[in-house]
Amino acid sequence: GITTFIKQKDNILAGRKVELISADTGGSPAGAKTKAQELVEREKVNVILGPVAAAELLAITDYIRDRKTPLIALAAAEDVTQRNANPFVIRASASSGQCCHVLGDYAAKELKYKRAATVAEDWAFGHEQMAAFQRVFEEDGGKVVKKLWAPFQTPDYTPYIAQIQNVDCVVNGFAGSNPIRFMRAYADLGAKPKFPLLAGWTAMDDAALRSLGDEAVGVVSASWYSADYASPINKQFVADMRKNYNVLPGVAAACMYIAGQCVEAALKKLDGKAVDGRTLAEALHMISITDSPRGKFRFDHLGNVIGTVFIRKCERKADQLVNTVIKTYPDVS
């Protein structure tokens, strides 16, 4: 995503040549901290984009604060821009619960569901997503009657699916490859016709659709990004990703593209001034983007993004799966 953005800009942002350095965390908090230290202390980077996982962001947030290095996060860990807000972090994606607040509202008000079960990984992202859904769903008159937590490395979801009964819907908050395996098991066990499936923003990511089949058709999800969003800039972004990488972009690619837009907007706001970490971080908090692949957005004083959340329904069109936008919720904080 960020490579696509920089290529579109000929490696120049606000008159400055950009050097992109990539670091692989290995998917672990310890790896994230090691790589953050290398980027800051050896590479002398001005800003970090990423990491992906909540546990990785939580592992480096104190270091980022101490080193006064701005970071534009994909990871959704809520504390970093809420209860223990880090002034050097903004989040261009969404907090863990942001989209599930909207999903809870839609499930209760539009779908008229009254009883729900939730199932997600037993870690921060899963708990924060499902808590957000439950809060709004129950405020709107529904009731979460069953909450199931699976270890991240779960070989078989059958024992969890077997516990689901007497509900109007099931909310799936999985991430990575787990949603694919869960939905296949869900369909194979015959649960899909009985209990309609809802999903959070990682569970039905557009990038994962190529790995899914009919088990995903009909699943309703909420996400801050959708490849189906019909704005000119998003159409161009999707076309460039297909051309350069032969993929449909999902939230990871979209967030890093948008992070590039944020850096460019902050540099323009500084108008050629020296870019120390604190100055750049303050500028990043002050920007607003009117035209991005996710639509317009801005940030609150804590670095939380305020923008549109899309309700999508998975459909098969021309023998391909697509998440069709069926409702938009603007200015979700």
Side-chain angles (χ1 to χ4, degrees), residues 6-42:
I6 291 173
K7 184 176 180 180
Q8 289 177 354
K9 298 291 181 175
D10 294 324
N11 281 56
I12 303 292
L13 298 184
R16 304 180 190 220
K17 187 170 179 61
V18 174
E19 181 183 1
L20 178 64
I21 301 166
S22 297
D24 185 355
T25 67
S28 75
K33 190 164 186 180
T34 298
K35 292 302 180 180
Q37 290 170 333
E38 290 179 4
L39 291 173
V40 173
E41 297 171 27
R42 186 175 69 194

Side-chain angles (χ1 to χ4, degrees), residues 55-74:
E56 295 174 331
L57 180 58
L58 291 170
I60 66 174
T61 183
D62 288 340
Y63 176 77
I64 292 300
R65 188 198 306 261
D66 292 342
R67 299 299 302 214
K68 299 179 173 58
T69 302
L71 182 145
I72 305 175
L74 169 59

Side-chain angles (χ1 to χ4, degrees), residues 184-207:
R184 286 176 181 166
Y186 196 79
D188 289 346
L189 292 169
K192 186 182 173 187
K194 300 176 185 176
F195 313 119
L197 194 60
L198 309 181
W201 57 274
T202 54
M204 280 299 291
D205 188 20
D206 290 317

Side-chain angles (χ1 to χ4, degrees), residues 263-284:
V263 172
E264 181 181 46
L267 292 175
K268 286 180 178 178
K269 185 174 283 291
L270 292 170
D271 195 24
K273 296 177 184 176
V275 184
D276 65 273
R278 186 175 294 279
T279 300
L280 182 56
E282 291 172 351
L284 285 166

